[in-house]
Amino acid sequence: MNTPLKNRIRLLAKEKNAIILAHNYQPPEIQDMADLCGDSLELSIRASKTQADIIVFCGVRFMTETASILCPEKTVLLPRPNAGCPMADMVTPKALGDWISRYPTMPVVTYVNSTAAVKALTTICCTSANVIRVAESIKEKEMLMVPDRNLAAYAAAHTNKTIHRWNGCCPYHDALTPDQVIRQKKAHPDALFMAHPECRSEVLALADEVTSTSGMLKIARESDRRAFIVGTEVGLLYPLQKANPDKIFYPASPAMECTDMKKITLEDVAKSLETLSGEVKVPEEIRIPALKSVQRMIEL
Ligand code: 13P
Ligand code: SF4
């Protein structure tokens, strides 16, 4: 840990009345410096309630856009502007608009891992933590869901809804295979296997628990088990191990490393706070319709 740099960031944050949020996949030094770590849902809710003037969001672009949608009066900073989410870019507003025009009566559920312009075409947003609740809250039996085909399959399997899926996915979660999981289970027969719903259904079928990143942190904290196989991005191993030093965590696959989630450095955070660079601002004509779909989710 670079303590002088961390201290400089904390001082700047105090002077500028800024809050620093970090997603659970961020590098250890970023998580240790942040005011709050969490999953996408927790961080969006926290952003919507903060009294700070500036929100520094250590995550990827869609998360900062969500913060900007919720807090238009605040300055929202993404310390590394090219930190994106490949899955979010798998559906464009044009392509979604064309799909909607083929099914005009169907509500659209959009995973928060999506652009603001896509959220603007959406009935209600969801996260990995609330997708089942969101799908069940819709009165119609049939709906469209974008962009994650795996999350949509998971929601369909746990509700009595007919969910038409967009063919997007997280390249890291989708790459995890049942064989890799079985190998880890054989190597660690006493371990509990937790999987993120962005994994394929064949992988989820092997899981003891399917949940969001913060859901995994909660399970690890509360479980009597001593060992866990973690079926999500490897960044989560750090907060898991930190919060549970007497337990042991194995990645389902060490290849599950999201390049975009590792882009932000402490230097980037300091520079962004100093110069207010990397501001993300969603234009009003997109923000207002997008806000409806995000707020509808938060109010559930
Ligand atoms: P969570 O909402 O579970 O934190 O997941 C976000 C994400 O990007 C998963 O890949
Ligand atoms: Fe997007 Fe996957 Fe990275 Fe999450 S882990 S930000 S879904 S690419």
Side-chain angles (χ1 to χ4, degrees), residues 47-223:
S48 73
K49 292 188 177 151
T50 183
Q51 300 296 313
D53 297 315
I54 298 173
I55 300 168
V56 183
F57 214 127
C58 301
V60 293
R61 180 161 289 270
F62 77 80
M63 298 178 180
T64 46
E65 284 189 350
T66 307
S68 169
I69 290 167
L70 288 163
C71 320
E73 74 293 356
K74 305 213 187 280
T75 301
V76 181
L77 303 176
L78 177 59
R80 186 64 81 92
N82 69 350
C85 167
M87 171 159 61
D89 296 331
M90 288 180 190
V91 60
T92 63
K94 163 84 177 74
L96 177 57
D98 290 348
W99 203 33
I100 293 171
S101 64
R102 283 193 274 131
Y103 301 93
T105 57
M106 280 191 211
V108 181
V109 179
T110 295
Y111 191 24
V112 286
N113 297 36
S114 55
T115 64
V118 161
K119 289 186 177 77
L121 301 174
T122 294
T123 315
I124 184 166
C125 285
C126 72
T127 72
S128 57
N130 63 16
V131 61
I132 293 174
R133 207 153 27 98
V134 167
E136 278 170 348
S137 75
I138 289 175
K139 64 176 189 325
E140 288 88 346
K141 169 109 178 46
E142 273 186 75
M143 64 196 75
L144 308 180
M145 196 176 278
V146 294
D148 188 1
R149 60 174 184 248
N150 293 331
L151 187 77
Y154 168 70
H158 290 85
T159 59
N160 61 0
K161 303 287 184 179
T162 303
I163 301 180
H164 300 272
R165 302 165 213 169
W166 192 258
N167 195 16
C169 67
C170 165
Y172 309 102
H173 286 82
D174 190 65
L176 180 64
T177 64
D179 280 353
Q180 287 170 312
V181 174
I182 290 164
R183 231 175 295 137
Q184 281 293 57
K185 281 184 162 222
K186 279 194 182 138
H188 313 289
D190 296 331
L192 186 96
F193 174 45
M194 309 187 284
H196 196 279
E198 288 176 15
C199 296
R200 290 193 226 163
S201 53
E202 310 89 272
V203 166
L204 298 185
L206 298 169
D208 298 300
E209 300 280 355
V210 177
T211 185
S212 73
T213 55
S214 287
M216 292 185 195
L217 284 161
K218 184 168 187 287
I219 289 166
R221 204 171 48 239
E222 293 174 358
S223 170

